[in-house]
Amino acid sequence: MNFKEQRDLFRTKKVSAKEAVQESIKKINGDNLNIFINSFQSEALKQAEFIDNNFDKFKDAPLSGVPIAHKDIFCTKGLPTTCGSKMLENFVPPYDSTVIHNCNEAGSVMVGKTNMDEFAMGSSNETSYFGPVSNPWNSDLVPGGSSGGAAACVAADITSISTGTDTGGSIRQPAALCGVTGLKPTYGLVSRWGMIAFCSSMDQAGPFSRDAFGCAALLDAMASYDSKDSTSTERPDKNFENLLAKDFGSLKIGVIKDIDNFGINPDVMQSYEVSKTVLSALGHELKEVDFSELSTGICSYYVIAPAECSSNLSRFDGVKYGYRASDQKDISKLYMETRSEAFGDEVKKRILIGTHVLSAGFYDAYYLQAQKVRRMIKNKFESIFKDVDLIFMPTTLDQAFEKNRESNDPNRMYKEDLLTIPANLAGLPAISFPNGFKNNLPIGGQFVGNYFSEDLLLATTNRIQEVSDWHKMTP
Amino acid sequence: MDKIELKNLLFLARISADEKEHTKIIEKLKNTFDLIDEMQDLDLSDLEPLNNPLELNNVSREDVNNDRNSKGEFLNNSPESDEDYFLVPKIIE
Amino acid sequence: MAQNDTIIKGWQPVIGLEVHVQLMTNTKLFSPAKNKFGEDANTLVDLIDMGLPGVLPVLNEGAMKQGIKFGLATSAKIAKTMIFDRKNYFYPDLPKGYQITQLHFPIVKDGVVDVNGKEIRIHQAHLEEDAGKSMHDKYDNKSVIDLNRSGVPLLEIVSEPDIRSAAEAVDYLKKIHQIITYLDISDGNMSQGSMRCDANISIMRPEAEEYGTRAEIKNINSFKFVEKAINFEIKRQIKLLENGGTVEQETRLYDSVKDETRSMRTKEFANDYRYFPCPDLVPTNISPELIEEVRKDMDELPEEKEARFRSEYNLGDYEAQVLCSEKTTANFYEEVCKVSDPALSAKWIIGEVNALLNKHDVSLNESNINTKNFSNLILKIKDGTISGKIAKEVLEEMWEEGSDPIEIIKSKGLEQISDEGELEAIAQAVIDNNSSQVEAYKSGKDKLFGFFVGQVMKETQGKANPGAVNQILKKLLAN
């Protein structure tokens, strides 16, 4: 069931919040894809009853009476928050993240926390300490990552909306691989307070849903200016759900010149070409733009993200919360063993890379150079957006792939983010939506827009979804 | 990167790894740096580094305190504490 | 470069100080937890100070204003844009595994202070967070962590290596102390750690063009120890170099019990702090409007106060300087002057009150002397109720008991006898009882006049008004 149908059932009192939650819980208990790390069934039922008892108050809220699953990266007061890591297996935050708070206020009911790559580092959900998530379309395949559980949750119809975070593509890539719609907002639109940091200058939370409508409503709930986050921005006075119907007219849509040089799978390319004809048919003008610098984004990303993560993850030392190793001969041993035992290999690898690029003698060649590449990418986007309203490209190079591919060729996995990373480097909003289906698997395409153009991204996607059915397909 | 550099790196990051693993770790890191090093050919000397995408001006808050005292909650959440303090193995100065 | 009087055995010491000052604010640098000394362990700790996963720092405007104030007071450049960096290292009292500080774009740059007529340059002053405290005595095999201090705002004031002797270092430190306490930037309490000092010390031949290798002495916590630590370190380096050794660039600790500095345990690997701009805090612009706002609210600086005291209370340079050396003293003096004679008040504060303070090694506001009882004392001296000698006694009593001088004078019967009739009768009796001395005096032994004064004082237990006694005796003895 899609989000709008579900919310309408609540608003017309045909289905209570409690009944909707019971239905989700039933599906969670039957889940064999390992989508959830924790589910909070009694708490969810209680909250649903509360909403039912206060029907009038919640009736018009953006997410009224709808079950929601949150990525296990958002702190939930009194309920475990693991970030997919052994380090936080038993960690219970004493506070709610702003995203959780906003979603609660908006009338949704959290049924559980979804599986993810450990500390959001990964593109396949295989780095989770709690085991990989399977792709709902084919359980031998990965759902993408790091918000793999969140995308799979919507694809498997357990909830109609879920939250995720996107640092280098962690919403858009799993959305594409699972056949759902996912939006990474402009950096700063959604507060990072209470969202466990991976790369602070790129992390951004955003919505998953089957379609643009669900994403718009969830974004209405999630986005808010937050004085607790110094990088939070004043929210534009926009109601994304209402703006879905706005006619933005004929748009200039940039398509990247020689994009096939980036090694995109022919099936993905074919869907891309079909979508281009759809866009033309909808009255938009396609304009070829040069973005040959795009591929250097990966180099920049795999310096900056590890650098920030090496620092952000220093707080996990076994002293104040979280895991502590039993070997406590001295403080140095305590640190070493705690971090070695409780971080997975990918996290350790990125911490080491990040430590190296920030260390004396390497800072200029790596960290500073990467920040300049970042500037270059941002400048390039700015010049492109002088000519076009949106950029359209595939979300991923490939469709969902088999588990354990990473161990054979890690750089291939990193390159998987080639088309998603640039938006994170520049802080731009981008949306991925299902735009094709091949080999019994979904394919995703994405729009990247200018700063704070979420309304345009959502409305344009919505228009496509009015004339196509890719987003309605279910496993 | 050699084994001495790796040892230093592991120490800075407070991560321990069996000596037997060191060659493998160096291989893995090298592999990533091969990917990263593609940017070294770019001459970007005329560009300012970009730390934060939005280039906002930082905000500040008024100097007004809260009266939160979560001592018990914080200590309870810790791996080891007594009624007043977090405990760690003895630090030898 | 060299100043002859600071050269020791042919070596010129070169010293720079890094002074950490805890800022007087209601809250911490990046969290709304209370900034206060001496509370129960771990009771002033916010989510942010704990470094919990997902928390974010938000800059305290009050701390920023304190930094600006210091910059204005030292004629420094206030940054148009300041940037916070992360300094990464592991320590149990550093909850996030990094300290937020300012490396390349500090709030204050290029200041200067006047120390005994010499300009000592301030390289920069930057805002940063304090760490928590780890203590090692509670258990045999455990250390304990208190995070109350975690996140307390610090201003680190870094001087240029312009200081040439231990004594000058202390004077510089006192100058910094004077500025920060005058402007309520900090309480400057060294024993509680709200002002802490690291010293960078090297020695060179006076004719040399380059500084020698420096050693850094960490965390010196009193003016006295600053002097001792630096002097010890200078001697150590001279001895080392003269015996053909070399000074190592290292961090040393001062042990006040043994009066020596010693190398801190060198770690297996060099530390590498991996500074980089803190991505949770974007660059902070400081507007001219904010600087003006701070300037308007700023208290008088010591020099300004001295000048005002000279003109307003007609004081000499020395008196004004002594009274203004500490803000508490200056404020005390001004309060007293509202009701008492400025010249007499100045004389007594500089003389007797300061002597008592020094003797007991306490500050004015820790003592029993307050503006009310002190004003009354000055009034009683001025109107002749008590003599200076008696006044000293009364002051001692006030010091001990904190009582009012009027009460002391009354209860002990210390009023000066100024009544001419009464004094004349006593003087006449003294003359009558000492006829041989009177003879001798009259035959030219002028010195005996003091004898008669002494006798009158003895009879009156010192309460006679000395001026009146002189006059009366002169009159009677002339007959």
Side-chain angles (χ1 to χ4, degrees):
Chain A
M1 197 183 323
N2 77 22
F3 166 80
K4 187 171 183 304
E5 289 161 4
Q6 184 151 44
R7 194 182 62 181
D8 285 345
L9 289 175
F10 173 79
R11 287 182 174 180
T12 54
K13 289 198 163 182
K14 289 191 180 109
V15 172
S16 70
K18 191 175 178 184
E19 285 161 340
V21 165
Q22 279 167 336
E23 181 65 21
S24 283
I25 287 174
K26 208 163 82 194
K27 289 176 185 168
I28 292 173
N29 292 337
D31 166 43
N32 49 18
L33 303 172
N34 199 24
I35 290 171
F36 284 82
I37 291 176
N38 277 301
S39 68
F40 311 118
Q41 312 197 345
S42 59
E43 290 84 357
L45 289 170
K46 230 171 90 186
Q47 178 65 13
E49 276 171 18
F50 173 77
I51 286 178
D52 288 329
N53 293 338
N54 293 276
F55 180 83
D56 291 339
K57 186 186 160 209
F58 287 105
K59 184 175 60 115
D60 297 321
L63 310 178
S64 52
V66 178
I68 190 170
H70 291 296
K71 186 176 182 178
D72 205 18
I73 199 170
F74 297 103
C75 284
T76 41
K77 185 174 179 163
L79 296 170
T81 303
T82 68
C83 221
S85 181
K86 181 179 180 180
M87 186 64 87
L88 294 177
E89 187 175 7
N90 299 309
F91 173 64
V92 179
Y95 76 111
D96 270 334
S97 63
T98 300
V99 163
I100 297 288
H101 171 85
N102 287 352
C103 290
N104 289 344
E105 292 289 301
S108 64
V109 181
M110 173 175 69
V111 291
K113 308 279 288 285
T114 59
N115 204 341
M116 57 183 284
D117 279 302
E118 185 180 9
F119 287 105
M121 297 175 205
S123 306
S124 67
N125 220 301
E126 292 169 292
T127 72
S128 170
Y129 172 68
F130 303 95
V133 175
S134 299
N135 191 310
W137 294 90
N138 179 338
S139 58
D140 293 335
L141 309 183
V142 304
S146 66
S147 313
C153 178
V154 171
D157 201 31
I158 294 173
T159 60
S160 62
I161 44 171
S162 66
T163 56
T165 62
D166 190 317
T167 306
S170 284
I171 288 176
R172 289 161 289 156
Q173 186 253 15
L177 268 45
C178 290
V180 299
T181 305
L183 172 74
K184 179 202 103 68
T186 304
Y187 181 81
L189 185 67
V190 177
S191 168
R192 293 187 296 113
W193 173 259
M195 182 176 120
I196 299 176
F198 159 23
C199 173
S200 312
S201 72
M202 296 189 220
D203 293 344
Q204 182 61 206
F208 282 101
S209 188
R210 198 153 283 292
D211 50 28
F213 188 97
C215 285
L218 181 48
L219 186 61
D220 276 325
M222 292 172 82
S224 65
Y225 171 72
D226 187 356
S227 60
K228 295 199 288 295
D229 174 1
S230 303
T231 60
S232 170
T233 52
E234 210 58 63
R235 180 181 164 173
D237 187 20
K238 288 176 180 174
N239 181 296
F240 299 111
E241 185 181 325
N242 292 344
L243 286 168
L244 282 172
K246 181 177 165 184
D247 183 6
F248 286 92
S250 168
L251 302 171
K252 276 190 194 155
I253 295 179
V255 290
I256 291 163
K257 203 173 130 193
D258 300 327
I259 196 164
D260 33 353
N261 289 352
F262 295 124
I264 299 167
N265 165 315
D267 291 332
V268 175
M269 269 313 285
Q270 203 196 346
S271 291
Y272 178 61
E273 293 302 331
V274 170
S275 291
K276 276 158 70 176
T277 62
V278 172
L279 288 171
S280 296
L282 286 170
H284 302 307
E285 180 193 339
L286 297 180
K287 204 176 163 202
E288 201 163 64
V289 294
D290 177 77
F291 203 155
S292 42
E293 299 90 340
L294 186 117
S295 60
T296 48
I298 284 206
C299 312
S300 175
Y301 178 83
Y302 279 100
V303 170
I304 296 167
E308 293 188 21
C309 108
S310 72
S311 175
N312 282 334
L313 269 58
S314 291
R315 69 192 61 204
F316 302 110
D317 58 4
V319 173
K320 307 150 305 265
Y321 46 73
Y323 183 82
R324 176 187 279 201
S326 51
D327 186 343
Q328 297 181 27
K329 209 174 70 206
D330 56 46
I331 187 72
S332 179
K333 199 88 181 150
L334 174 72
Y335 287 150
M336 294 282 210
E337 296 311 314
T338 295
R339 292 165 62 80
S340 302
E341 289 171 20
F343 285 145
D345 286 345
E346 183 63 26
V347 169
K348 283 190 251 191
K349 178 179 164 187
R350 296 205 197 188
I351 289 175
L352 290 175
I353 292 166
T355 305
H356 184 69
V357 299
L358 288 175
S359 61
F362 299 99
Y363 183 89
D364 286 3
Y366 286 113
Y367 185 74
L368 221 52
Q369 178 76 356
Q371 298 283 42
K372 288 179 175 180
V373 172
R374 191 173 191 184
R375 170 78 63 186
M376 177 184 78
I377 300 270
K378 181 180 166 161
N379 288 351
K380 188 70 199 187
F381 270 121
E382 277 173 359
S383 84
I384 291 174
F385 283 123
K386 281 185 188 136
D387 295 331
V388 302
D389 301 302
L390 292 174
I391 299 170
F392 179 56
M393 58 181 147
T395 309
T396 57
L397 304 182
D398 274 315
Q399 295 181 274
F401 47 89
E402 281 176 14
K403 293 173 185 166
N404 298 317
R405 193 180 76 173
E406 194 268 346
S407 44
N408 306 325
D409 187 358
N411 283 357
R412 179 154 175 211
M413 177 78 82
Y414 289 172
K415 281 182 184 157
E416 187 64 32
D417 301 331
L418 184 87
L419 301 174
T420 47
I421 279 173
N424 298 88
L425 288 169
L428 293 164
I431 190 168
S432 174
F433 56 92
N435 77 328
F437 197 80
K438 266 277 167 68
N439 316 314
N440 212 23
L441 289 172
I443 292 168
Q446 67 172 331
F447 288 121
V448 181
N450 213 336
Y451 296 105
F452 303 105
S453 65
E454 285 80 2
D455 50 347
L456 177 63
L457 292 173
L458 287 161
T460 310
T461 305
N462 187 50
R463 198 60 34 87
I464 293 170
Q465 293 179 336
E466 282 170 355
V467 300
S468 64
D469 288 329
W470 304 119
H471 62 289
K472 291 180 185 155
M473 296 184 69
T474 49
Chain B
M1 181 179 298
D2 58 24
K3 287 193 174 179
I4 296 169
E5 276 182 293
L6 179 66
K7 272 190 182 173
N8 188 33
L9 203 53
L10 286 166
F11 173 75
L12 281 177
R14 298 298 190 280
I15 287 170
S16 70
D18 202 311
E19 295 257 4
K20 283 178 282 185
E21 302 282 304
H22 285 193
T23 314
K24 214 175 90 192
I25 296 172
I26 290 173
E27 249 346 279
K28 269 168 78 177
L29 295 179
K30 264 192 184 148
N31 195 293
T32 308
F33 279 102
D34 285 345
L35 178 82
I36 291 169
D37 280 331
E38 283 172 32
M39 73 177 179
Q40 300 300 357
D41 299 334
L42 300 170
D43 176 10
L44 305 175
S45 44
D46 55 341
L47 287 182
E48 283 294 308
L50 177 66
N51 294 322
N52 200 282
L54 288 192
E55 300 183 86
L56 306 156
N57 179 23
N58 197 35
V59 291
S60 55
R61 69 181 157 78
E62 261 187 86
D63 185 19
V64 180
N65 63 278
N66 64 17
D67 284 311
R68 184 187 200 110
N69 176 4
S70 311
K71 176 176 167 176
E73 196 174 9
F74 289 161
L75 290 173
N76 278 340
N77 227 338
S78 77
E80 194 182 358
S81 64
D82 65 13
E83 65 280 11
D84 289 317
Y85 298 99
F86 301 95
L87 302 189
V88 295
K90 188 96 161 181
I91 304 162
I92 300 134
E93 295 275 338
Chain C
M1 198 106 240
Q3 294 162 15
N4 285 334
D5 57 337
T6 60
I7 291 170
I8 302 168
K9 291 182 184 165
W11 293 95
Q12 173 65 66
V14 175
I15 301 156
L17 295 189
E18 292 167 14
V19 185
H20 289 84
V21 164
Q22 279 185 348
L23 299 178
M24 249 196 249
T25 54
N26 295 321
T27 67
K28 297 188 178 177
L29 186 53
F30 296 113
S31 99
K34 203 182 271 181
N35 169 19
K36 197 158 180 262
F37 180 83
E39 297 292 297
D40 289 345
N42 290 310
T43 56
L44 305 179
V45 185
D46 189 79
L47 303 164
I48 297 168
D49 312 310
M50 274 286 286
L52 279 166
V55 299
L56 297 166
V58 181
L59 177 62
N60 174 358
E61 182 187 64
M64 182 160 64
K65 286 181 176 171
Q66 295 288 39
I68 294 170
K69 235 197 262 180
F70 181 79
L72 291 173
T74 54
S75 317
K77 289 184 196 135
I78 313 288
K80 283 199 180 75
T81 303
M82 62 177 182
I83 293 178
F84 286 100
D85 298 285
R86 291 185 184 176
K87 177 183 181 179
N88 296 283
Y89 66 96
F90 285 89
Y91 205 78
D93 61 19
L94 188 73
K96 299 189 295 297
Y98 56 83
Q99 176 197 33
I100 303 179
T101 176
Q102 299 180 321
L103 181 65
H104 296 302
F105 299 94
I107 186 164
V108 165
K109 265 190 130 139
D110 301 331
V112 64
V113 290
D114 178 301
V115 176
N116 306 327
K118 176 181 159 182
E119 284 195 342
I120 307 245
R121 292 169 301 156
I122 290 170
H123 175 68
Q124 70 173 53
H126 57 262
L127 291 170
E128 61 184 26
E129 344 167 66
D130 211 340
K133 272 185 191 163
S134 38
M135 287 153 288
H136 316 296
D137 300 332
K138 190 171 180 185
Y139 299 104
D140 286 344
N141 59 348
K142 297 279 173 192
S143 291
V144 304
I145 312 293
D146 173 12
L147 295 179
N148 278 356
R149 203 178 66 178
S150 164
V152 164
L154 293 176
L155 188 70
E156 179 175 342
I157 303 158
V158 183
S159 85
E160 296 287 354
D162 289 351
I163 299 164
R164 291 291 173 268
S165 71
E168 193 170 75
V170 172
D171 288 343
Y172 165 79
L173 199 59
K174 284 189 170 156
K175 186 74 202 184
I176 297 293
H177 186 266
Q178 190 190 36
I179 292 170
I180 59 169
T181 50
Y182 251 80
L183 298 180
D184 288 332
I185 291 171
S186 171
D187 67 16
N189 189 324
M190 287 190 90
S191 61
Q192 290 179 359
S194 39
M195 179 161 156
R196 312 193 283 269
C197 180
D198 302 341
N200 285 300
I201 299 154
S202 66
I203 57 169
M204 69 197 280
R205 290 297 184 188
E207 66 280 5
E209 308 219 318
E210 275 179 35
Y211 295 142
T213 308
R214 61 170 204 256
E216 185 181 16
I217 310 177
K218 281 267 183 213
N219 266 326
I220 323 174
N221 61 5
S222 84
F223 292 111
K224 200 167 76 187
F225 293 156
V226 167
E227 184 154 20
K228 285 187 155 186
I230 292 174
N231 276 332
F232 176 88
E233 183 59 22
I234 292 169
K235 275 187 215 141
R236 187 187 73 88
Q237 293 189 10
I238 291 176
K239 203 170 151 193
L240 205 59
L241 292 184
E242 294 197 335
N243 289 325
T246 50
V247 175
E248 248 184 275
Q249 181 157 357
E250 60 174 353
T251 305
R252 301 179 68 83
L253 269 182
Y254 177 67
D255 181 333
S256 59
V257 179
K258 293 184 182 157
D259 187 24
E260 61 175 32
T261 67
R262 61 167 181 272
S263 185
M264 283 170 83
R265 192 169 59 97
T266 41
K267 300 233 168 70
E268 195 182 342
F269 299 99
N271 223 336
D272 181 337
Y273 292 121
R274 290 158 286 133
Y275 286 93
F276 75 105
C278 179
D280 290 327
L281 296 155
V282 289
T284 308
N285 297 332
I286 300 174
S287 67
E289 292 76 27
L290 181 67
I291 297 174
E292 260 331 289
E293 189 192 318
V294 172
R295 196 196 303 274
K296 271 187 207 141
D297 284 350
M298 214 159 103
D299 285 340
E300 220 171 15
L301 281 165
E303 292 79 12
E304 294 164 350
K305 205 182 272 291
E306 280 175 34
R308 188 167 58 78
F309 276 21
R310 283 195 299 266
S311 63
E312 207 171 314
Y313 302 115
N314 203 18
L315 298 177
D317 288 353
Y318 172 75
E319 290 168 302
Q321 200 196 333
V322 174
L323 287 172
C324 293
S325 66
E326 276 186 48
K327 194 184 183 184
T328 45
T329 313
N331 287 348
F332 182 89
Y333 175 69
E334 283 217 272
E335 193 60 33
V336 168
C337 282
K338 283 180 187 165
V339 289
S340 310
D341 180 72
L344 196 60
S345 303
K347 184 183 155 212
W348 276 81
I349 293 170
I350 293 168
E352 300 307 323
V353 174
N354 269 352
L356 280 168
L357 294 174
N358 289 338
K359 186 176 151 198
H360 297 277
D361 197 23
V362 293
S363 66
L364 194 48
N365 46 9
E366 292 164 330
S367 79
N368 279 329
I369 309 292
N370 57 49
T371 54
K372 188 165 170 280
N373 63 23
F374 184 76
S375 297
N376 284 339
L377 179 70
I378 296 298
L379 283 179
K380 290 294 159 194
I381 301 169
K382 181 76 182 170
D383 71 7
T385 309
I386 51 171
S387 67
K389 189 161 168 273
I390 295 291
K392 277 188 204 174
E393 254 178 66
V394 175
L395 185 64
E396 293 269 5
E397 179 88 13
M398 285 160 62
W399 179 271
E400 295 298 333
E401 307 296 334
S403 32
D404 190 282
I406 295 171
E407 293 299 319
I408 299 172
I409 292 165
K410 200 179 273 174
S411 68
K412 297 205 159 178
L414 297 174
E415 286 99 339
Q416 195 159 252
I417 303 166
S418 301
D419 183 277
E420 285 208 18
E422 193 182 344
L423 285 178
E424 203 167 319
I426 296 166
Q428 192 58 58
V430 167
I431 288 170
D432 293 347
N433 295 335
N434 296 282
S435 51
S436 58
Q437 280 85 348
V438 174
E439 281 303 311
Y441 175 79
K442 284 191 173 166
S443 61
K445 259 189 129 178
D446 289 354
K447 280 183 186 163
L448 276 170
F449 188 74
F451 166 78
F452 298 110
V453 175
Q455 289 300 307
V456 175
M457 285 299 176
K458 195 177 154 195
E459 290 296 318
T460 59
Q461 284 130 30
K463 289 185 290 186
N465 181 327
V469 171
N470 279 353
Q471 241 178 357
I472 289 164
L473 279 171
K474 282 223 166 97
K475 191 181 83 185
L476 292 177
L477 288 167
N479 293 337

